[in-house]
Amino acid sequence: MRELGEGVSIVSIIASEAEVAGWNAEGLPRDLVSIENGAIVTSSKRWPLIIDPQLQGVAWIKSRQSSRVHVQRLGQPKLLAGLRTAIAGGTSILIENMGERVDAILLPILRRAILKKGGRALIAIGDDEIDYSSDFELFLHTKLSNPHYPPELQAELTLVNFTVTPPGLEDQLLSLVIRKERPDLAARKAAVIHQGNEFKIRIKQLEDDILVKLSTAEGDITEDRTLIEGLESAKQQSLDATARLEEGRDITKSINLTAERYREVAKRGATVFFLMNSLHRIHTYYIYSLNAFVVLFQHGIDLVHDAERKAKVARKPKTMLSKLKAATSKIIQMQRFNWNEDLLHQSSLAGEQDISTLSTQLLQKKSIEEKGDLSDLEFQKRCTHLATSITTVLFKYMERGFFARDRLTVVVLLSFAISQASDNINIAQLSRLLSPLEAVEPAGMADDVASWLPGRAWARLKGLEDGAVDTLGVMELSDLGDQLTSGSEEWRAWYKHPEPETQHLPGSSKELSGLPFLLVLRAMRTDRIPAALQNYVGKHLGTSFSNPQSFSMLDVYMESSASTPVFFVLFPGVDPTPWVESLGLGFDISVQKSTLKNISMGQGQEAPAEACLDRMAKQGGWIMLQNIQLMESWLPKLERKLELASEAAAMNFRCFLSAEPPPLSHMYNIPESLLQTCIKVANEAPADLRSNLQRAWSCFSQEHLDACNHTSEYRRCLFGLCFFHAIILGRRRFGQQGWSRQYGFNTGDLKICADVLMSYMNKAQESADGQGISVPWDDLRYIFGEIMYGGHITDFWDRRTNVTYLKALFNEQLLRPGGQLAPGLSLPDTILDYPGYSAHIDGALPAESPVLFGLHPNAEVGYLTSTAEQILGLVVRLRRGASAGSSAPGHATDNGVHGIVDSLEKRLPKRPKLSSVQEKARPLLAGPSAPYVVVAMQEVVQMNFLGEEIARSLGELRKGLNGQLNMSQQMEDLSSGLALNEVPGRNPFHSISWEKLAWPSRKKLDDWFDDLEERAKQLISWEVKLELPISLWLALFNPTAFLTAIQQVSARTRNLPLDNMTIETNATIHHRPEELEVLADKRPPDGAFIHGLHMQGARWMEIEEASTEGTKAVKKICGVSCGGVVTESQAKELLARMPVLYVKAVLVDANWEPTSIGHLRPDAYNCPCYYTSFRGPTYVFLATLDTQEPAFKWVLAGVALLLSTD
């Protein structure tokens, strides 16, 4: 194949320079990708389907085809009539804002299924055949950023991605900055480009005219005086145009030298926009349009200009009226725009005044002099000021719509992106922070270090030493292990500090800061990473970024216009209606004056909402449409209504929308194109205990308290009920250890329970001793815990927690003055009125801690550690997506994925042969151990399924990377997962999954594969003789089957009814399964040994420690030595290893309570066992554990056994 010569490209072959200049003059952006797209659109034989979220491509087509294009949309009643007219008349049709489905009636047009009859070209549309003009053109357009069209549709069309690129956006923003900062230069540059395009087109026309005249000349052309004079005139015009073009190029070059000095500002804007453009991968509500970005980008520059103007004017005292006028003027200045316009491109167009100014300059041949006399340092400061202002305005706009849980993630992404764009960050250090390495075989810890530092933290520290100098460039990290050994006490004090991120590192590492400091903190105290990242952001971007801003409805209104709806995200306990009504009063807008209409959407509300929207748009009123997520099929129509309103509505018109977010962050319940145009507001209610309690108490009033017959008792009970409500809401923040599933507890539950409480209290009788009234506590607890709040709860163990809270909080102690409601919180000594209880909440409630919720302080550490992993995991995923296909350091390239594939294929365990296992099993299936044999066979089958899928998918990916196969979507997803060290299938968007064939797990791919190898090793050992191992690692594909097998074996051996048996667990005195090897009876006569479990929320007190505490001694169960009790966790020990457990089948006792999850026993802590810390759907079985503390303590602490660590 012949290579293209230097300076020759595909575009230069398809289109001439004059044609490209014509496209630019028509509005096509001047970056290379846009020009290539333009060449494809104009030369493709198939109709183009333009993917254009920013509307730059479709704006060019509308300009290019302005005299002959008709704009239509799918679903419009006039679509077919317009198509028939255009096809027969030879004009163009643009179908804009398409979704992912195409009407079947369009398929003959898309396929160009032209029929020839009697010399006529015909095409079928529905039942009709109409004449087909060869001049007809069809353009399809979608605003979706990542549409998925079926292969058969893609085969008929040419998909052209007009999504703006970073270099292209940066150049366009640079033009916008110049237009705002140096309008004199912007005018000249726009005019130069405009005239340059005209000259290129003119030169091409003259050359074509010359060729036409020469080709049509007759006879001897040297004697044709008219022809020669015409050629001479064309030549002179061409020379003049060329000279003017050269002069324009000189001027452009001079202008660009000045414009380039503003490149930093444009680059900052492009960086922030592409971050905004990637946030939909965190939540589908985080979608923004380029037009909204441009408006805010300009606003950021305007704020700098306004500040400069104000600095020159003497300050005057401001009255309330002047403040309102100032706010109103700012509102009016906010730009109004059509949803389908390209605002960014409009800033680069040349006006008539620009061209006339340039003509004068060209004639006089004046050089361009830079306006102003700023020094280089002053100019740099100004650019930094502009960039900071733009970043602040854009972030505040985004921040207002963030969920509280995502705010820190986004601001960290922003900080890293800005630093990377400015080359102010070490990418190797950042990559190590996001994906820490652990030493494979770290050198042993000194005993004094091992007494306080977990083994995994030591492995990570030793991993930091690897490449500390060569890769990370931090000498202080090269001997971390030695530093800890020699300065153990100093490092221990730092490690134990409640806020180590605020302290310098000990010893020779005390000067470390920034990313190197975060690396050490990540290795030793991951739970403090969220706070450290907040400090990092505050240092690099400022406190306005690190601390959440207070919500202001007026600020939202000042950024809105008739073109931009305001979209409220609804949360429990949050109602945006009062915000809108209060704001409206300040602008003389109210329901009473019929200038504000609030409609709660539901069945049958579509027509009234449409009529009201049209009326308000015409007269300039406000409309609020609530719960629009209930009307998904109607939302496209609403979107079209709002789009039309953006063009013609009165300037004072405003539309407010509200919706509940979808259950999962990757789900859509609002159209993407509608979200793009909205100002999003996600003002969540504070989730701390004090705020929850104050908000619960504010649901009532003094009149409500006085309405009860027994007001003093009612007040105390109501306060206890409010505290219960606040507690169960606040428990959410501890993740699955708090509640294993998400529940929508709300103030409606509280109010109904309060009504029930008042009803019961009004009917209460005097107690027998005459001391107060007799409150039916059991009845009330049942109604509150099982019906009202319990109605939300679907998990048995969560229901038990809820009921236990009521037993602990809602009882007789509420009526005792000064009683203890929670650790550190006492009830009032006297009867208080409504304000008195509010003051008691402010003054008596202690600082929030896990202890207030009944949890161990480690729950806070676990919650923060999980938060840190989630934040850094999202940062990895979004940065990976932003640099897909690049070879940026810290991201896996094809070569990196090749290496991962090689490693995994080598590590893939050998699969047992099922036929061999079946042959061994056949004689054993009639014996007493048959249930165990069946479990072993099932595990072998599952392991083979998983191993085959892993081998197949890795083999296909290898071929795809080598070019032997086309890369399918499954291969792409697998490659992405491997690059992120993520188990394939964990990403809900991926089309390939190993997880669905495996066991539940939350581990990274490396650790997950270690588990796979260990499982295969145990299984191979088991299947040799199909003899039950001395102790079984219970983390099987189906551990419940093994527990059932224990019951079956016991029932057969002891001739007992299987349906009257259950599992009993006892902790042995053996720490590890290897210790069982020395026993005379390695296997118990009844049941089995299991190991590998961990306890979350507490720990197991070993028999040695228990004997010193005066607890129960060793007990023999079927000859097995058991002992120990559940006790408090050690500080910062999140998962405590359990000793070997002895599991046996027992007959159900009559005193045990039968439930859906097993039989609960009154003499033990009934402990749920889950596969992972995700809890919920990973529940396995009910374990019975000895305890000396009351069992309810461990219930509230969320104590559970886990089969696998994270």
Side-chain angles (χ1 to χ4, degrees):
M1 182 182 293
R2 185 170 63 88
E3 294 185 1
L4 296 175
E6 185 178 353
V8 180
S9 65
I10 297 296
V11 174
S12 65
I13 295 174
I14 296 176
S16 66
E17 187 177 6
E19 287 177 304
V20 173
W23 300 341
N24 294 148
E26 292 161 350
L28 183 70
R30 288 183 289 274
D31 63 280
L32 180 60
V33 173
S34 296
I35 292 173
E36 289 175 347
N37 287 337
I40 294 171
V41 168
T42 55
S43 60
S44 175
K45 296 297 183 184
R46 293 181 292 182
W47 304 131
L49 171 52
I50 299 169
I51 301 170
D52 188 18
Q54 288 82 37
L55 306 175
Q56 296 193 324
V58 74
W60 166 62
I61 289 174
K62 289 179 179 179
S63 174
R64 176 179 172 79
Q65 301 270 338
S66 58
S67 61
R68 62 192 304 269
V69 69
H70 302 279
V71 180
Q72 299 281 357
R73 297 195 180 198
L74 293 180
Q76 285 187 341
K78 297 181 180 180
L79 174 61
L80 288 182
L83 278 171
R84 291 189 179 97
T85 302
I87 292 172
T91 55
S92 300
I93 286 286
L94 168 63
I95 301 178
E96 65 177 2
N97 293 359
M98 288 176 50
E100 294 182 340
R101 297 180 182 179
V102 176
D103 198 326
I105 203 168
L106 295 179
L107 293 180
I109 304 174
L110 302 184
R111 294 168 181 165
R112 300 196 186 210
I114 302 172
L115 308 173
K116 297 289 186 179
K117 289 186 179 180
R120 296 168 58 198
L122 304 173
I123 194 167
I125 298 183
D127 297 330
D128 300 330
E129 291 182 354
I130 61 174
D131 289 317
Y132 182 86
S133 171
S134 59
D135 294 328
F136 168 71
E137 290 184 276
L138 176 65
F139 303 93
L140 307 175
H141 163 252
T142 179
K143 290 170 68 174
L144 300 178
S145 56
N146 187 27
H148 297 279
Y149 293 106
E152 58 271 17
L153 188 62
Q154 296 185 38
E156 302 294 343
L157 302 170
T158 298
L159 269 66
V160 187
N161 191 353
F162 263 96
T163 303
V164 67
T165 61
L169 180 62
E170 190 175 314
D171 287 340
Q172 294 179 69
L173 289 178
L174 183 60
S175 298
L176 180 57
V177 174
I178 299 302
R179 175 71 68 174
K180 302 291 287 187
E181 281 285 290
R182 294 294 305 273
D184 55 329
L185 296 186
R188 293 170 186 169
K189 183 175 182 179
V192 164
I193 293 172
H194 178 79
Q195 288 199 349
N197 291 333
E198 288 186 343
F199 289 150
K200 290 176 184 177
I201 297 169
R202 179 61 179 160
I203 290 171
K204 177 64 176 174
Q205 290 174 345
L206 291 172
E207 291 173 351
D208 291 343
D209 289 344
I210 290 173
L211 292 176
V212 169
K213 289 179 179 179
L214 289 175
S215 63
T216 57
E218 298 179 357
D220 187 356
I221 61 174
T222 59
E223 297 180 358
D224 190 338
R225 182 173 179 177
T226 304
L227 174 61
I228 292 174
E229 289 177 352
L231 292 176
E232 185 64 28
S233 174
K235 176 183 177 182
Q236 187 59 45
Q237 291 181 52
S238 178
L239 291 174
D240 290 343
T242 302
R244 298 279 292 276
L245 189 59
E246 287 300 321
E247 290 177 346
R249 285 171 178 164
D250 292 340
I251 292 176
T252 302
K253 184 177 180 180
S254 177
I255 292 173
N256 286 342
L257 290 175
T258 301
E260 282 299 316
R261 300 180 69 183
Y262 289 97
R263 175 69 64 177
E264 174 192 336
V265 182
K267 191 172 186 178
R268 173 67 63 85
T271 300
V272 177
F273 174 78
F274 281 97
L275 172 66
M276 294 170 65
N277 211 31
S278 68
L279 295 183
H280 67 90
R281 301 173 66 190
I282 298 178
H283 198 285
T284 53
Y285 278 7
Y286 303 160
I287 299 177
Y288 308 93
S289 69
L290 181 61
N291 278 346
F293 167 82
V294 170
V295 170
L296 293 164
F297 184 88
Q298 295 180 93
H299 185 54
I301 298 175
D302 291 339
L303 288 178
V304 176
H305 294 174
D306 292 343
E308 291 173 347
R309 283 194 294 269
K310 290 177 181 177
K312 297 177 182 178
V313 179
R315 289 187 171 272
K316 297 180 179 179
K318 291 186 176 181
T319 63
M320 185 59 67
L321 180 60
S322 65
K323 290 180 180 179
L324 184 59
K325 287 182 177 180
T328 306
S329 66
K330 291 180 181 178
I331 296 166
I332 295 172
Q333 290 171 8
M334 292 305 294
Q335 187 171 353
R336 171 184 175 158
F337 56 88
N338 186 318
W339 286 11
N340 292 311
E341 288 181 355
D342 179 9
L343 297 183
L344 184 57
H345 177 67
Q346 291 176 1
S347 66
S348 62
L349 298 179
E352 294 182 3
Q353 185 177 358
D354 299 338
I355 296 172
S356 64
T357 301
L358 177 69
S359 301
T360 305
Q361 294 291 334
L362 284 172
L363 291 173
Q364 298 175 358
K365 297 184 179 180
K366 290 184 178 179
S367 62
I368 298 176
E369 298 178 357
E370 182 180 351
K371 184 174 66 176
D373 55 354
L374 294 177
S375 66
D376 290 342
L377 181 59
E378 290 172 329
F379 196 91
Q380 181 62 38
K381 287 182 178 179
R382 177 170 183 76
C383 288
T384 302
H385 191 191
L386 287 170
T388 301
S389 177
I390 290 167
T391 307
T392 302
V393 168
L394 288 168
F395 179 73
K396 285 184 177 180
Y397 174 79
M398 292 188 292
E399 181 191 16
R400 196 177 288 118
F402 292 152
F403 293 1
R405 65 176 183 266
D406 296 327
R407 186 189 182 281
L408 183 56
T409 302
V410 177
V411 77
V412 167
L413 277 164
L414 178 63
S415 178
F416 289 159
I418 290 174
S419 297
Q420 186 172 352
S422 306
D423 294 325
N424 291 332
I425 196 169
N426 186 309
I427 298 299
Q429 293 176 8
L430 177 58
S431 300
R432 188 68 65 88
L433 172 68
L434 300 177
S435 303
L437 300 179
E438 295 183 13
V440 180
E441 295 181 359
M445 276 189 289
D447 291 340
D448 54 345
V449 176
S451 65
W452 56 269
L453 186 67
R456 185 162 194 180
W458 177 258
R460 284 187 172 180
L461 287 173
K462 300 301 285 185
L464 281 178
E465 292 182 357
D466 183 22
V469 178
D470 298 336
T471 304
L472 303 178
V474 185
M475 178 67 71
E476 291 85 349
L477 300 181
S478 61
D479 61 345
L480 273 177
D482 294 339
Q483 291 183 47
L484 260 71
T485 302
S486 60
S488 176
E489 287 304 316
E490 288 183 89
W491 280 93
R492 177 175 182 168
W494 180 84
Y495 175 78
K496 297 288 186 181
H497 196 281
E499 296 181 351
E501 72 279 2
T502 63
Q503 308 296 309
H504 290 291
L505 292 172
S508 58
S509 300
K510 65 181 179 181
E511 298 300 327
L512 289 182
S513 61
L515 288 182
F517 178 87
L518 291 177
L519 289 173
V520 179
L521 188 70
R522 171 91 154 105
M524 298 181 69
R525 288 289 304 275
T526 306
D527 61 298
R528 300 309 304 172
I529 282 292
L533 288 174
Q534 194 165 358
N535 294 340
Y536 178 89
V537 168
K539 180 179 178 181
H540 287 79
L541 296 181
T543 55
S544 61
F545 291 85
S546 60
N547 299 320
Q549 64 173 331
S550 58
F551 174 71
S552 169
M553 193 62 207
L554 180 60
D555 289 344
V556 175
Y557 182 77
M558 288 170 62
E559 291 182 4
S560 69
S561 71
S563 305
T564 52
V566 177
F567 178 82
F568 295 103
V569 184
L570 297 177
F571 300 99
V574 173
D575 182 10
T577 306
W579 307 339
V580 176
E581 291 176 344
S582 299
L583 178 69
L585 292 176
F587 294 93
D588 201 25
I589 301 288
S590 66
V591 176
Q592 292 75 15
K593 295 186 176 182
S594 300
T595 50
L596 171 62
K597 182 68 174 178
N598 186 351
I599 301 176
S600 183
M601 299 306 298
Q603 187 174 6
Q605 291 297 317
E606 300 94 327
E610 292 174 23
C612 184
L613 194 150
D614 291 338
R615 185 175 71 255
M616 292 298 184
K618 184 177 181 180
Q619 71 183 39
W622 293 6
I623 183 172
M624 189 171 190
L625 305 178
Q626 305 225 45
N627 296 298
I628 62 172
Q629 83 281 355
L630 303 175
M631 317 292 292
E632 286 193 49
S633 60
W634 176 72
L635 291 183
K637 194 168 185 180
L638 170 64
E639 179 187 356
R640 180 57 178 164
K641 285 276 184 183
L642 292 173
E643 186 177 341
L644 294 174
S646 72
E647 302 172 11
M651 291 298 295
N652 292 330
F653 168 70
R654 294 294 185 274
C655 180
F656 301 92
L657 310 173
S658 72
E660 293 181 0
L664 299 175
S665 61
H666 63 274
M667 296 174 63
Y668 287 87
N669 65 354
I670 304 295
E672 178 181 330
S673 50
L674 177 59
L675 286 171
Q676 279 184 334
T677 58
C678 292
I679 296 174
K680 288 166 276 292
V681 178
N683 187 29
E684 294 183 66
D688 61 284
L689 184 60
R690 185 183 303 276
S691 298
N692 282 330
L693 185 51
Q694 285 282 24
R695 191 160 47 250
W697 188 248
S698 67
C699 292
F700 308 102
S701 64
Q702 184 64 49
E703 291 74 16
H704 180 86
L705 300 184
D706 296 337
C708 185
N709 297 338
H710 305 285
T711 181
S712 60
E713 289 86 353
Y714 178 70
R715 294 179 187 190
R716 294 181 182 276
C717 291
L718 182 61
F719 184 75
L721 181 62
C722 289
F723 184 74
F724 162 75
H725 178 82
I727 281 286
I728 65 171
L729 289 181
R731 192 177 172 94
R732 291 171 176 168
R733 76 183 188 93
F734 297 102
Q736 273 68 29
Q737 190 174 353
W739 299 110
S740 64
R741 302 173 191 267
Q742 295 292 325
Y743 302 115
F745 304 125
N746 55 63
T747 53
D749 301 318
L750 174 65
K751 291 177 181 178
I752 295 175
C753 287
D755 291 340
V756 171
L757 175 62
M758 180 176 289
S759 176
Y760 270 81
M761 297 290 273
N762 284 335
K763 298 176 183 178
Q765 302 296 321
E766 292 291 335
S767 60
D769 57 4
Q771 300 294 320
I773 60 173
S774 178
V775 179
W777 299 107
D778 290 339
D779 293 352
L780 289 170
R781 283 194 293 261
Y782 182 84
I783 293 172
F784 299 164
E786 299 288 350
I787 300 176
M788 300 311 304
Y789 287 92
H792 295 280
I793 300 174
T794 57
D795 184 271
F796 173 85
W797 302 105
D798 288 340
R799 185 181 296 273
R800 182 181 70 162
T801 302
N802 186 56
V803 170
T804 304
Y805 267 131
L806 282 168
K807 288 180 179 178
L809 299 174
F810 202 73
N811 51 43
E812 294 84 353
Q813 71 172 352
L814 289 176
L815 303 182
R816 298 172 189 160
Q820 190 85 352
L821 189 59
L825 176 62
S826 299
L827 292 166
D829 294 325
T830 59
I831 304 300
L832 301 178
D833 58 4
Y834 181 81
Y837 275 104
S838 295
H840 184 72
I841 294 172
D842 290 332
L845 191 67
E848 185 169 345
S849 70
V851 177
L852 277 173
F853 298 88
L855 295 158
H856 190 274
N858 282 351
E860 183 82 8
V861 177
Y863 159 71
L864 292 174
T865 301
S866 176
T867 300
E869 295 293 351
Q870 289 174 6
I871 290 172
L872 296 178
L874 278 171
V875 171
V876 169
R877 180 173 295 177
L878 266 69
R879 286 177 57 82
R880 167 69 181 172
S883 59
S886 71
S887 56
H891 299 285
T893 61
D894 285 350
N895 291 334
V897 175
H898 258 301
I900 296 172
V901 171
D902 291 340
S903 172
L904 295 183
E905 286 184 330
K906 290 177 182 177
R907 293 175 59 187
L908 190 62
K910 181 180 178 182
R911 298 188 293 277
K913 291 185 178 179
L914 184 59
S915 58
S916 174
V917 175
Q918 290 172 335
E919 187 175 342
K920 295 176 187 176
R922 194 169 293 113
L924 300 175
L925 291 176
S929 63
Y932 295 142
V933 175
V934 172
V935 172
M937 292 175 62
Q938 291 173 345
E939 292 293 311
V940 168
V941 171
Q942 286 293 107
M943 180 62 75
N944 283 348
F945 280 156
L946 177 59
E948 288 169 4
E949 174 62 15
I950 293 175
R952 180 200 65 79
S953 56
L954 290 177
E956 284 189 356
L957 179 57
R958 174 184 294 283
K959 292 178 181 178
L961 295 174
N962 291 337
Q964 297 170 277
L965 290 175
N966 291 329
M967 287 290 286
S968 65
Q969 186 60 49
Q970 285 194 345
M971 296 182 198
E972 293 283 359
D973 292 342
L974 178 59
S975 176
S976 174
L978 297 182
L980 292 171
N981 194 25
E982 188 177 77
V983 181
R986 191 160 296 170
N987 188 325
F989 295 101
H990 284 181
S991 56
I992 186 171
S993 178
W994 295 353
E995 276 203 326
K996 69 180 181 181
L997 298 176
W999 53 91
S1001 178
R1002 304 185 77 181
K1003 293 184 176 181
K1004 292 289 188 180
L1005 179 60
D1006 285 342
D1007 296 330
W1008 183 88
F1009 225 85
D1010 289 339
D1011 277 2
L1012 175 66
E1013 293 176 293
E1014 288 298 318
R1015 281 169 165 78
K1017 183 179 178 181
Q1018 173 175 266
L1019 195 54
I1020 290 172
S1021 173
W1022 191 359
E1023 64 93 15
V1024 171
K1025 295 182 180 180
L1026 289 180
E1027 185 179 43
L1028 184 66
I1030 297 174
S1031 180
L1032 187 73
W1033 182 26
L1034 192 58
L1036 305 173
F1037 286 92
N1038 186 5
T1040 306
F1042 177 74
L1043 298 173
T1044 304
I1046 292 176
Q1047 297 180 58
Q1048 290 173 330
V1049 171
S1050 295
R1052 294 179 184 182
T1053 304
R1054 297 158 56 189
N1055 196 25
L1056 296 172
L1058 180 62
D1059 59 357
N1060 198 33
M1061 301 190 75
T1062 188
I1063 287 294
E1064 177 183 272
T1065 55
N1066 294 279
T1068 71
I1069 62 173
H1070 306 291
H1071 300 153
R1072 298 184 179 278
E1074 293 80 10
E1075 298 176 13
L1076 301 173
E1077 298 284 349
V1078 300
L1079 299 179
D1081 295 325
K1082 295 181 174 59
R1083 293 180 178 82
D1086 188 19
F1089 292 123
I1090 61 173
H1091 65 273
L1093 284 75
H1094 293 77
M1095 182 177 286
Q1096 184 182 37
R1099 66 182 175 92
W1100 188 256
M1101 184 186 291
E1102 304 289 356
I1103 191 64
E1104 296 85 356
E1105 183 183 355
S1107 61
T1108 63
E1109 297 289 336
T1111 58
K1112 299 176 183 178
V1114 175
K1115 58 182 179 180
K1116 291 285 186 177
I1117 300 176
C1118 295
V1120 178
S1121 299
C1122 302
V1125 292
V1126 181
T1127 190
E1128 292 276 358
S1129 298
Q1130 301 283 5
K1132 297 183 178 62
E1133 184 184 36
L1134 304 184
L1135 295 177
R1137 181 183 292 273
M1138 288 291 291
V1140 176
L1141 296 184
Y1142 172 38
V1143 182
K1144 65 188 296 288
V1146 296
L1147 285 173
V1148 174
D1149 190 277
N1151 294 326
W1152 298 348
E1153 179 187 350
T1155 66
S1156 59
I1157 49 80
H1159 290 81
L1160 302 181
R1161 311 182 194 187
D1163 58 343
Y1165 171 55
N1166 298 283
C1167 181
C1169 179
Y1170 299 95
Y1171 220 115
T1172 72
S1173 61
F1174 188 70
R1175 301 198 179 194
T1178 69
Y1179 173 72
V1180 180
F1181 74 102
L1182 164 62
T1184 52
L1185 302 177
D1186 288 336
T1187 175
Q1188 286 191 324
E1189 303 273 4
F1192 78 83
K1193 174 179 179 177
W1194 311 123
V1195 172
L1196 298 184
V1199 175
L1201 294 180
L1202 306 179
L1203 298 184
S1204 174
T1205 63
D1206 293 344

